[in-house]
């Protein structure tokens, strides 16, 4: 049996392996973005088709009982599809968080091999939450609840949640119309249904964000200095 020590890994070989994994993660992130946009387009297509169909039914029934019944059923289907779409978008965001975390670890290895390049990086080499948010361009220093709420509404799940909540409000108003409620009651029912759906979707979204951790302990936390 040979007692010779294996040759040390050369920096060029290590960088090649790390770069290959880095490009693989970038391609996976691109696929994640494509699926997110595809899901949103699919939901908006279903919503547009439902609105067009309801417009044709309204012309035939003149907003009578048949229209109200069909509208409630169709919008309920759209609402359910919207909830499932938001759920998938949240899952894709969690996946994207994991890919960024993995790239931060690779970036730490790059700096471990060539620490003199640290000043050239604007993204983070740390794999904890602050490091990942820095790479994503999200500044959490001094962020308050109002700021985080507005940021959440700018994301795909947040914007889609508002649309889904609006569909829920329309269902609530139609139910009130079906029971013969006056315009004020119909308006209040629609507003209450919208607010209830928006609040529930918002709470769900916040819990999803808090669960973004991939379940892996940070190996290179931000409190630890980068390799030099």
């Amino acid at each position: 049996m040979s007692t010779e020590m294996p040759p040390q890994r050369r920096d060029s070989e290590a960088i090649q392996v790390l770069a290959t994994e880095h490009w693989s993660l970038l391609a996976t992130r691109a696929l994640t973005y494509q699926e997110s946009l595809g899901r949103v387009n699919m939901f908006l297509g279903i919503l547009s088709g439902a609105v067009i169909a309801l417009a044709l039914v309204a012309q035939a029934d003149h907003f009578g009982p048949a229209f109200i019944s069909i509208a409630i059923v169709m919008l309920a289907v759209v609402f359910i599809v919207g909830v499932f779409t938001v759920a998938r978008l949240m899952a894709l965001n969690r996946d994207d968080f994991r890919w960024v975390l993995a790239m931060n670890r690779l970036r730490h290895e790059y700096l471990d091999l060539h620490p003199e390049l640290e000043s050239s990086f604007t993204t983070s080499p740390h794999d904890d939450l602050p490091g990942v948010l820095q790479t994503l361009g999200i500044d959490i220093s001094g962020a308050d609840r109002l700021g985080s709420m507005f940021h959440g509404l700018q994301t795909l799940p947040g914007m889609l949640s508002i649309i889904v909540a609006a569909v829920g409000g329309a269902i609530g108003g139609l139910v009130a119309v079906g029971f013969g409620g006056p315009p004020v009651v119909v308006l209040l029912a629609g507003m209450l249904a919208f607010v209830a759906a928006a609040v529930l979707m918002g709470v769900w979204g916040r819990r999803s964000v808090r669960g973004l951790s991939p379940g892996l302990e940070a190996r290179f936390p931000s409190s630890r200095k980068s390799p030099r």
Side-chain angles (χ1 to χ4, degrees):
M1 182 162 98
S2 175
T3 58
E4 294 182 1
M5 296 294 294
Q8 286 188 344
R9 181 183 61 181
R10 293 182 298 178
D11 288 356
S12 60
E13 295 176 349
I15 291 177
Q16 183 178 4
V17 172
L18 293 173
T20 301
E21 177 65 13
H22 205 149
W23 281 108
S24 175
L25 292 171
L26 287 173
T28 305
R29 286 197 72 195
L31 292 175
T32 301
Y33 280 124
Q34 290 179 7
E35 183 178 352
S36 297
L37 296 176
R39 293 275 180 167
V40 173
N41 290 332
M42 180 181 67
F43 170 74
L44 294 179
I46 293 174
L47 177 60
S48 299
V51 171
I52 293 173
L54 289 178
L56 296 176
V57 174
Q59 290 181 355
D61 189 61
H62 302 288
F63 298 98
F67 168 80
I68 296 175
S69 301
I70 295 174
I72 291 175
V73 173
M74 291 188 65
L75 292 181
V77 172
V78 174
F79 183 84
I80 293 174
V81 172
V83 171
F84 288 152
T85 303
V86 172
R88 182 55 184 165
L89 291 177
M90 291 179 182
L92 291 172
N93 280 352
R94 288 192 295 268
D95 289 341
D96 187 62
F97 181 90
R98 294 179 59 189
W99 312 145
V100 173
L101 183 147
M103 287 191 290
N104 280 12
R105 289 180 175 175
L106 295 178
R107 196 171 295 109
H108 185 278
E109 296 298 329
Y110 288 139
L111 293 178
D112 192 23
L113 294 172
H114 293 282
E116 70 277 5
L117 299 177
E118 182 179 5
S119 60
S120 301
F121 284 86
T122 57
T123 49
S124 174
H126 304 291
D127 60 348
D128 54 1
L129 180 60
V132 174
L133 293 181
Q134 178 183 340
T135 300
L136 290 173
I138 302 175
D139 185 12
I140 62 172
S141 59
D144 54 8
R145 292 183 178 180
L146 185 62
S148 62
M149 181 186 68
F150 283 133
H151 173 76
L153 293 177
Q154 296 173 21
T155 63
L156 284 179
M159 293 178 63
L160 206 63
S161 296
I162 295 299
I163 298 176
V164 173
V167 175
I171 294 174
L174 287 171
V175 171
V177 171
F179 281 100
V184 176
V185 174
V186 173
L187 179 61
L188 290 177
M191 293 177 60
L192 289 176
F194 170 77
V195 172
V199 170
L200 290 176
M201 299 287 284
V203 172
W204 182 26
R206 288 188 64 86
R207 290 183 177 178
S208 176
V209 171
R210 291 177 181 177
L212 279 177
S213 173
L216 300 175
E217 184 178 356
R219 302 174 187 173
F220 315 111
S222 300
S223 57
R224 181 175 167 185
K225 291 184 179 180
S226 300
R228 296 186 180 275

